[in-house]
């Protein structure tokens, strides 16, 4: 049992939107300090699976979740769970970078401030530290108090990464985090993720197989809401066990 | 033949688009021409800021009416803006979708109710109420007052404000809220720091639109505001806003010299102020849209 050592485990998870079941009995341990990549054709439930991990599904109308998502051994759907505390353990990168309507500095300081950090020096340190970790510090250090919306899209996504890191999460979640970016910016994000996996558990959704091959340590393949196959990336790519996985990897289904 | 149709169609559509604008310009010049008679005798500033309104003696000071308009509008905004923003925030950020879909048309329906009905409601309910609460503030009031006018007006403009504010909030992408929530922010923190800030321009536009509606609204206010041509000193005093002045007196203007010209000037002032606010609101809305991308 590596249950306890895994930050993130999913047990018999079913998700419904109204009458439509989009995730079917998923059980999965996400390995610590590795990049797990969720792949699968469009509409198979990748985003839903990712959002179930930090309870963003709560905000979808008519959604029903049953099963367990264990974060550090605690079922985040259990009673008396403080959802803000759970979410603080995870940083999120979305498909399009979503910068908050405030300055670069305030974007990074937003999370820490919400969680009670007020000390100016400490905030300065946090801002600098995580902008550096996201590889953005050098580019923005002279305009920290400019609106974040003036950054390029690629820079905005790195800002979002830094903002997520600033609440000191254990896990980084990304939903096709490079899909809105140019190839060079995508590459930068990929490189950051690879670098960050020594300290964080990373879960990324992608529909780009080449990207999965480049960064994945662990592959999760979903098909029509079912968890078809999961395992170490080399194994899955070299030797898919399920015919559907093979068909997807060779491009027969997409 | 098809080309001809295309051309004709385009011309018709062009004319139809230009017509409203043209109408506005024509109205402006019409009012301006009519008010020339009085402007030839007295200065614009003098008329605007002198407070004697004695048509028979040839005194046409618009100041009491300006102040009356200002008071009623201010009272209406003070009441309507916070309430409607809270309602819009609740509907867009907290309410389940079912309730939102149910409440939105109801609110829009309110703005379709004829002004007179609000007036009657004001006379029957609000006026006596104001009469009763005035003594609590150490004042006597018949109830026909700026406060009554403001309350009735507030009820009339709040659908406008809610409607525009809801549009503004729904233009803000949901993933932006998710970005804030995913950092561990509560819904309220997300609303305050992200939604309201992102929508600030649009919220201002909503309020300015409400304001311009308030400035021009006639019937209901006229019925409850008292219509005494003197600048009110408190919200419990009667007031006499510009639209009420025009509507009340237009019938009897022919007999007194310059009377019609003075009323036209009042209309012109109202026209300019309302249009200015409308343009301002448009401008804020455009900026809000650009900000929301
Ligand atoms: N809010 C919702 N209400 C109803 N159905 C939804 C909702 N969101 C998603 N769905 C449906 O659930 C299924 C899974 O959606 P999901 O977004 O998880 O897929 P995905 O794998 O992320 O797809 P993509 O690759 O296109 O992003 C789809 O069939 C989608 O149409
Ligand atoms: Mg998706």
């Amino acid at each position: 049992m590596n249950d306890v050592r895994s930050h993130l485990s999913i047990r018999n998870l079913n998700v419904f939107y109204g009458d439509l079941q989009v995730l079917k009995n998923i059980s999965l341990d996400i390995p610590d300090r590795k990049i797990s990549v969720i792949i699968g054709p469009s509409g198979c439930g990748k985003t839903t699976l990712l959002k179930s991990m930090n309870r963003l599904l709560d905000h979808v109308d008519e959604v029903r979740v049953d099963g367990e998502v264990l974060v550090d051994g605690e079922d985040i759907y259990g009673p008396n769970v403080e959802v803000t505390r759970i979410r603080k353990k995870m940083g999120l990168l979305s498909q399009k970078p979503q910068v908050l309507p405030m300055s670069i500095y305030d974007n990074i300081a937003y999370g820490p401030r919400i969680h009670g950090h007020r000390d100016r020096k400490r905030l300065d340190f946090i801002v600098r530290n995580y902008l550096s970790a996201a590889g953005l510090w050098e580019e923005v250090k002279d305009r920290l108090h400019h609106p974040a919306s003036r950054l390029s899209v690629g820079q905005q996504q790195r800002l979002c990464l830094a903002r997520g890191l600033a609440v000191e999460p254990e896990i980084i979640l990304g939903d096709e985090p490079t899909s809105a970016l140019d190839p060079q910016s995508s590459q930068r994000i990929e490189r950051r993720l690879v670098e960050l996996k020594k300290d964080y558990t990373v879960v990324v959704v992608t529909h780009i197989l080449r990207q999965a091959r480049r960064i994945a340590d662990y592959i999760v393949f979903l098909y029509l809401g079912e968890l078809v196959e999961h395992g170490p990336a080399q194994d899955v790519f070299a030797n898919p066990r399920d015919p559907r996985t093979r068909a997807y990897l060779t491009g027969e289904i997409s | 033949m098809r080309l001809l149709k295309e051309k004709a169609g385009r011309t018709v559509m062009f004319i139809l688009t230009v017509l409203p604008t043209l109408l506005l310009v024509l109205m402006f010049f019409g009012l301006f021409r009519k008010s020339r008679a009085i402007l030839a005798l007295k200065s614009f500033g003098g008329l605007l800021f002198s407070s004697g309104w004695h048509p028979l003696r040839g005194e046409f000071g618009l100041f009491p009416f300006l102040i009356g308009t200002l008071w009623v509008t201010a009272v209406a905004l003070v009441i309507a803006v916070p309430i409607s923003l809270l309602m819009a925030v609740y509907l867009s950020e907290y309410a389940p979708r079912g309730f939102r879909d149910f409440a939105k048309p109801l609110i829009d329906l309110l703005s379709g109710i004829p002004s007179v009905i609000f007036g009657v409601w004001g006379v029957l309910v609000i006026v006596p109420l104001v009469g009763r609460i005035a003594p609590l503030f150490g004042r006597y009031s018949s109830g026909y007052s700026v406060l009554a006018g403001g309350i009735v007006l507030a009820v009339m403009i709040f659908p406008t404000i809610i409607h525009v504010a809801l549009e503004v909030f729904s233009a803000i992408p949901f993933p932006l809220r998710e970005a804030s929530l995913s950092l561990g922010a509560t819904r309220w923190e997300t609303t305050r720091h992200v939604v309201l800030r992102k929508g600030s321009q649009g919220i201002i536009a909503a309020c300015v639109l409400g304001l311009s509606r308030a400035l021009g609204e006639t019937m209901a206010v006229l019925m409850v505001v008292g219509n005494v041509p003197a600048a009110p000193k408190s919200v419990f005093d009667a007031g006499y806003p510009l639209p009420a002045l025009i509507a009340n007196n237009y019938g009897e203007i022919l007999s007194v010299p310059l009377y019609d010209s003075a009323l036209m000037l009042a209309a012109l002032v109202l026209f300019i102020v309302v249009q200015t606010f409308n343009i301002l609101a448009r401008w804020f809305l455009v900026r809000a849209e650009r900000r929301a991308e």
Side-chain angles (χ1 to χ4, degrees):
Chain A
M1 292 300 289
N2 60 354
D3 251 2
V4 188
R5 285 202 290 110
S6 184
H7 279 322
L8 190 54
S9 312
I10 294 166
R11 292 281 170 273
N12 308 318
L13 182 74
N14 291 282
V15 177
F16 304 81
Y17 291 128
D19 295 331
L20 178 71
Q21 181 168 13
V22 289
L23 288 182
K24 295 168 189 160
N25 203 27
I26 308 248
S27 293
L28 178 67
D29 289 326
I30 301 288
D32 284 359
R33 288 164 208 263
K34 296 229 159 50
I35 299 185
S36 301
V37 175
I38 304 174
I39 57 173
S42 184
C44 67
K46 305 183 293 294
T47 300
T48 307
L49 180 59
L50 198 75
K51 285 188 181 174
S52 73
M53 296 175 186
N54 68 352
R55 287 193 45 179
L56 274 182
L57 287 180
D58 295 11
H59 299 275
V60 179
D61 284 303
E62 299 182 4
V63 74
R64 190 157 65 78
V65 179
D66 72 43
E68 296 179 338
V69 175
L70 303 167
V71 175
D72 297 327
E74 177 189 19
D75 179 17
I76 64 170
Y77 288 95
N80 309 323
V81 169
E82 221 182 303
V83 66
T84 51
R85 186 172 52 78
I86 296 299
R87 293 205 182 118
K88 186 178 174 298
K89 294 185 178 183
M90 300 176 218
L92 176 74
L93 285 177
S94 49
Q95 262 173 295
K96 267 180 70 188
Q98 300 290 342
V99 300
L100 304 174
M102 46 190 86
S103 71
I104 295 170
Y105 185 99
D106 290 338
N107 259 271
I108 310 293
Y110 181 80
R113 279 186 181 135
I114 274 179
H115 297 292
H117 290 284
R118 289 271 166 243
D119 180 47
R120 182 78 203 192
K121 281 224 176 69
R122 174 100 189 111
L123 287 176
D124 286 348
F125 172 78
I126 289 173
V127 168
R128 177 176 185 150
N129 190 25
Y130 291 108
L131 280 174
S132 308
L136 193 59
W137 173 254
E138 285 303 321
E139 288 158 69
V140 301
K141 64 179 180 204
D142 298 323
R143 45 174 171 152
L144 290 175
H145 296 284
H146 288 207
S149 55
R150 288 205 209 132
L151 296 174
S152 76
V153 180
Q155 289 173 324
Q156 287 185 10
Q157 194 63 305
R158 278 179 284 150
L159 180 72
C160 293
L161 181 59
R163 184 182 63 196
L165 296 177
V167 294
E168 300 177 341
E170 304 158 8
I171 301 163
I172 298 171
L173 306 175
D175 189 0
E176 308 190 19
T178 64
S179 65
L181 310 184
D182 59 274
Q184 207 193 345
S185 302
S186 304
Q187 209 190 0
R188 279 197 163 137
I189 292 281
E190 283 180 18
R191 237 186 282 138
R192 285 296 147 194
L193 292 177
V194 171
E195 222 165 82
L196 287 167
K197 76 178 177 189
K198 66 179 191 298
D199 300 314
Y200 301 89
T201 299
V202 181
V203 184
V204 177
V205 168
T206 187
H207 64 267
I208 310 167
L209 271 176
R210 267 175 299 141
Q211 184 173 56
R213 285 181 202 276
R214 280 195 298 267
I215 63 173
D217 300 307
Y218 199 81
I219 289 286
V220 177
F221 175 60
L222 290 182
Y223 187 70
L224 299 176
E226 265 179 72
L227 177 56
V228 172
E229 185 160 352
H230 61 106
Q234 306 100 305
D235 298 359
V236 176
F237 283 127
N239 233 329
R241 270 172 285 133
D242 194 284
R244 287 167 294 180
T245 318
R246 190 171 311 129
Y248 182 72
L249 292 178
T250 55
E252 282 163 49
I253 51 179
S254 59
Chain B
M1 190 58 204
R2 274 172 55 217
L3 275 180
L4 203 68
K5 260 193 198 160
E6 158 92 14
K7 230 180 168 176
R10 235 198 306 183
T11 316
V12 169
M13 282 190 280
F14 176 74
I15 292 173
L16 287 180
T17 329
V18 169
L19 216 56
T21 327
L22 205 66
L23 224 56
L24 277 181
V25 175
L26 283 178
M27 276 167 74
F28 176 82
F29 279 108
L31 290 173
F32 183 68
R33 222 178 46 135
K34 293 273 180 148
S35 43
R36 279 253 297 279
I38 190 161
L39 286 176
L41 296 175
K42 302 183 174 172
S43 80
F44 183 60
L47 285 168
L48 227 44
F49 295 112
S50 69
S51 39
W53 178 263
H54 306 288
L56 292 177
R57 278 192 257 144
E59 287 174 21
F60 296 101
L62 291 178
F63 192 66
F65 308 101
L66 274 179
I67 294 298
T69 306
L70 220 66
W71 271 86
V72 173
T73 305
V75 170
L77 285 179
V78 165
I79 297 170
V81 168
I83 292 179
S84 15
L85 285 186
L86 278 176
M87 285 179 75
V89 163
Y90 174 74
L91 284 177
S92 112
E93 307 299 314
Y94 290 87
R97 193 170 65 194
F99 183 70
R100 178 163 62 237
D101 292 346
F102 164 79
K104 249 171 99 171
L106 273 187
I107 290 167
D108 289 340
L109 217 60
L110 270 183
S111 59
I113 295 177
S115 193
V116 188
I117 308 233
F118 285 103
V120 171
W121 170 74
V123 171
L124 293 180
V125 180
I126 301 301
V127 168
L129 190 72
V130 171
R132 223 162 320 129
I133 62 168
L136 301 181
F137 294 86
R139 289 189 170 264
Y140 169 77
S141 170
S142 67
Y144 290 92
S145 59
V146 166
L147 183 59
I151 292 173
V152 170
L153 199 52
V155 175
M156 292 173 71
I157 63 176
F158 92 109
T160 310
I161 303 182
I162 292 180
H163 185 97
V164 179
L166 279 177
E167 300 273 307
V168 169
F169 293 151
S170 71
I172 298 171
F174 196 76
L176 182 65
R177 296 175 175 89
E178 288 181 338
S180 166
L181 293 168
S182 75
L183 296 167
T186 60
R187 269 191 200 220
W188 173 241
E189 285 160 345
T190 302
T191 302
R192 220 183 83 189
H193 301 298
V194 178
V195 176
L196 288 181
R197 188 175 312 193
K198 185 90 178 172
S200 57
Q201 304 269 337
I203 292 168
I204 295 175
C207 298
V208 178
L209 270 181
L211 180 72
S212 80
R213 171 131 195 247
L215 283 166
E217 201 52 66
T218 317
M219 210 51 215
V221 179
L222 177 151
M223 291 167 73
V224 300
V225 80
N227 301 329
V228 175
K233 294 191 179 53
S234 87
V235 293
F236 296 111
D237 289 348
Y240 207 160
L242 278 171
L245 168 72
I246 300 162
N248 268 341
N249 296 299
Y250 199 75
E252 47 179 287
I253 57 179
L254 290 177
S255 47
V256 184
L258 285 184
Y259 204 158
D260 66 330
S261 190
L263 285 180
M264 286 300 160
L265 183 66
L268 183 66
V269 170
L270 188 62
F271 182 86
I272 292 172
V273 173
V274 170
Q275 287 311 325
T276 309
F277 279 113
N278 278 336
I279 291 168
L280 218 61
R282 278 290 123 71
W283 184 70
F284 274 116
L285 272 181
V286 168
R287 280 193 34 176
E289 257 161 43
R290 235 186 274 142
R291 271 185 126 194
E293 281 141 341

